[in-house]
Amino acid sequence: MSNTRPNRHPKPASAAAPSSAKQPAGKQAAPKQAPAKQQPAPKPAQAKQPAPATPKRPPAFFSVDELSKTYGQLTALAPLDLRVGRHEAVVLLGHNGSGKTTFLRMAAGLLDPSGGTASVDGHAVGSLPARAALAYLSDSPTFYEDLSVWEHLELTARLHGVADWEQDAADLLGHLGLYERADDLPVQFSRGLKQKAAIAMAFIRPFELLLVDEPFVGLDASGKTALLELLDEAHDHGATLVVATHELAFVERVERCLALRDGVLVYDGSTEGIDVLSLVT
């Protein structure tokens, strides 16, 4: 892997200025003419209005069937059934110890369940197709002690077959305010900088499903804004998102909310008008 200094890395691409679109010209007024006298048209027979269709969610892309986790007599996650459609964006709420991290780690194939299964596009989590489609951003990222931020990005990109990754890496680091720290060791970073490095690693690779566990914790205001923009961009490009967070700026962006309490799914519905505090206490 390359070990170049920051001034050898590609410069972050500057954002292009939005182009000004021409406004359509207004219609010219037609000469006024005396209106012709018209006979009232017969009223058409009123057709029977069909009953409103029941909203349907898209076919399941991420599926969970009776997924559970126990430690002796302690139930970390009760048997859970869940369907998330392709391109859905879902927020996951719950207090500390509610089972969010346990669920996400099992869904990512990083923790063996006590029962049940999870799949991505029909492929069991942990399989090569599921691992290629799924990215996981942990609330406690880990790093190699002797690799710089740039080398972590290079390793991740090459493992996932990303061509011409250098410019993407430079752009990500610039967006997150880490460009000048590219050759530093992330193991020596503060909590917030570690989180930014982990975010860059998650977004340097392609994914169809992104599972995220409390990504805003430790981030400064600029870091939160940058992450929200990256999540928006990923969703706009078709990714499915399941994000555990109480960050209201993200909750307001999505339409579906899941809430866990003591390992049990207690809410699965719209985010419209929900009281976040009532779902996490």
Side-chain angles (χ1 to χ4, degrees):
M1 290 185 293
S2 59
N3 189 25
T4 53
R5 303 302 303 165
N7 59 7
R8 297 281 302 279
H9 301 323
K11 293 287 186 182
S14 58
S19 58
S20 56
K22 292 184 178 179
Q23 298 297 323
K27 294 183 180 179
Q28 295 183 351
K32 293 185 178 179
Q33 295 181 354
K37 190 174 181 180
Q38 296 181 350
Q39 297 296 325
K43 294 182 178 180
Q46 290 188 357
K48 188 177 180 180
Q49 296 296 324
T54 303
K56 291 184 179 180
R57 285 180 177 150
F61 177 67
F62 172 51
S63 301
V64 171
D65 295 283
E66 293 293 303
L67 194 69
S68 66
K69 185 65 177 179
T70 57
Y71 297 95
Q73 299 299 315
L74 174 65
T75 299
L77 185 71
L80 173 63
D81 290 301
L82 182 64
R83 299 289 182 271
V84 177
R86 187 185 293 274
H87 193 226
E88 267 198 282
V90 181
V91 64
L92 177 61
L93 301 178
H95 59 75
N96 291 337
S98 63
K100 302 190 305 296
T101 297
T102 298
F103 163 65
L104 289 172
R105 292 192 67 212
M106 288 193 295
L110 301 176
L111 177 66
D112 291 332
S114 299
T117 59
S119 63
V120 181
D121 200 18
H123 303 286
V125 296
S127 66
L128 286 178
R131 290 169 62 185
L134 181 152
Y136 173 62
L137 179 55
S138 170
D139 65 334
S140 301
T142 57
F143 304 94
Y144 294 100
E145 293 186 359
D146 56 346
L147 295 186
S148 68
V149 174
W150 188 260
E151 289 169 331
H152 275 89
L153 294 180
E154 180 179 1
L155 177 63
T156 304
R158 292 188 183 280
L159 284 175
H160 291 277
V162 181
D164 302 325
W165 59 271
E166 293 93 340
Q167 189 61 60
D168 288 341
D171 291 343
L172 273 170
L173 294 180
H175 190 63
L176 291 163
L178 277 184
Y179 181 73
E180 300 301 328
R181 307 296 298 271
D183 281 350
D184 293 343
L185 300 176
V187 292
Q188 298 176 351
F189 284 172
S190 65
R191 169 70 186 271
L193 291 181
K194 285 181 178 178
Q195 191 68 5
K196 289 182 178 182
I199 292 168
M201 289 172 62
F203 282 89
I204 193 64
R205 51 152 297 184
F207 56 79
E208 296 179 74
L209 170 65
L210 179 63
L211 304 178
V212 192
D213 191 4
E214 298 292 354
F216 295 95
V217 175
L219 292 180
D220 55 18
S222 63
K224 290 180 180 181
T225 298
L227 176 56
L228 285 170
E229 291 171 350
L230 289 171
L231 290 171
D232 285 345
E233 183 180 357
H235 189 240
D236 289 344
H237 282 80
T240 303
L241 308 179
V242 179
V243 181
T245 182
H246 304 153
E247 185 70 31
L248 290 177
F250 182 79
V251 176
E252 293 169 352
R253 279 168 153 77
V254 302
E255 297 180 353
R256 184 180 178 190
C257 171
L258 307 172
L260 290 170
R261 182 178 295 134
D262 299 327
V264 177
L265 184 68
V266 295
Y267 182 83
D268 180 357
S270 171
T271 56
E272 187 175 353
I274 64 169
D275 181 358
V276 171
L277 289 178
S278 70
L279 294 176
V280 300
T281 56

